[in-house]
Amino acid sequence: MACNFRLSNFVLLIFTAALESVALYFLIRILFTHCVMGEEYGISVWLYLFFLPVITLQSVVLGLFRLFCVTVGMDPIAMVFNLVSGLVCIGTALTLLVASAAHCGNKFRYMFFVSSCLGLIAGILHIINAYVCNYFMPKDEWTYAKPSKRRRIKDSMYRNKFST
């Protein structure tokens, strides 16, 4: 069971990083189109440009670390990263998709759609990966994420006992 979880987590992570990289490539190509340089598009492109490179870099680095250390990316921090990255990718990609569907009618339209659709798919895969991490995470990991009040009191009494 743990092997399937690790494999599915790894495949989702690598596939998400690849989709984000291709979406980033098309986003960079969008920057040099006449509709963006002529300021027909403003906040939708720049919002997407502000968030996508950071999320892509984190996904690629996490994927590279995952090649050498199999337990990286399967903890509460990675789950929160995937959840937040998924929501941000979906929000910014939808913003660009709606803006381009409403206003773009030139030969560069496909770049807007490819970049935003790949970002949307990558966001959905981030959320699926967060769900997979949450579902298969051992119960002991959750005690590190948010220990109960009784456990914190017990730990503080233990520390006070041996600190004097």
Side-chain angles (χ1 to χ4, degrees):
M1 183 70 131
C3 183
N4 292 338
F5 161 62
R6 292 174 195 269
L7 182 65
S8 65
N9 181 277
F10 179 69
V11 168
L12 280 171
L13 182 64
I14 295 298
F15 193 59
T16 303
L19 284 176
E20 288 172 349
S21 299
V22 174
L24 186 61
Y25 168 75
F26 279 105
L27 181 62
I28 291 170
R29 290 200 49 202
I30 286 171
L31 293 177
F32 300 106
T33 61
H34 61 80
C35 31
V36 173
M37 293 178 86
E39 297 181 7
E40 291 179 39
Y41 289 96
I43 191 69
S44 59
V45 173
W46 298 111
L47 181 70
Y48 198 42
L49 183 65
F50 184 72
F51 287 111
L52 187 64
V54 175
I55 294 171
T56 304
L57 180 66
Q58 290 176 340
S59 296
V60 168
V61 168
L62 194 62
L64 290 174
F65 280 160
R66 191 64 202 280
L67 286 173
F68 302 110
C69 185
V70 294
T71 60
V72 172
M74 298 183 294
D75 52 5
I77 295 171
M79 186 186 70
V80 171
F81 161 72
N82 280 317
L83 183 65
V84 170
S85 296
L87 293 175
V88 168
C89 276
I90 288 172
T92 56
L94 278 177
T95 303
L96 182 64
L97 185 64
V98 168
S100 63
H103 300 293
C104 191
N106 58 24
K107 64 181 181 178
F108 301 111
R109 185 178 196 168
Y110 78 95
M111 284 192 259
F112 286 92
F113 284 117
V114 168
S115 181
S116 56
C117 288
L118 289 178
L120 186 65
I121 294 169
I124 292 169
L125 289 177
H126 270 297
I127 291 177
I128 290 171
N129 204 356
Y131 174 75
V132 167
C133 284
N134 184 29
Y135 187 76
F136 289 107
M137 190 179 304
K139 296 294 181 193
D140 295 341
E141 286 283 331
W142 280 111
T143 60
Y144 296 123
K146 185 178 179 187
S148 67
K149 185 176 182 180
R150 188 174 39 212
R151 174 77 180 193
R152 286 183 295 209
I153 292 171
K154 183 179 176 184
D155 287 345
S156 68
M157 288 176 19
Y158 181 76
R159 275 184 262 140
N160 290 338
K161 182 178 174 182
F162 289 106
S163 65
T164 57

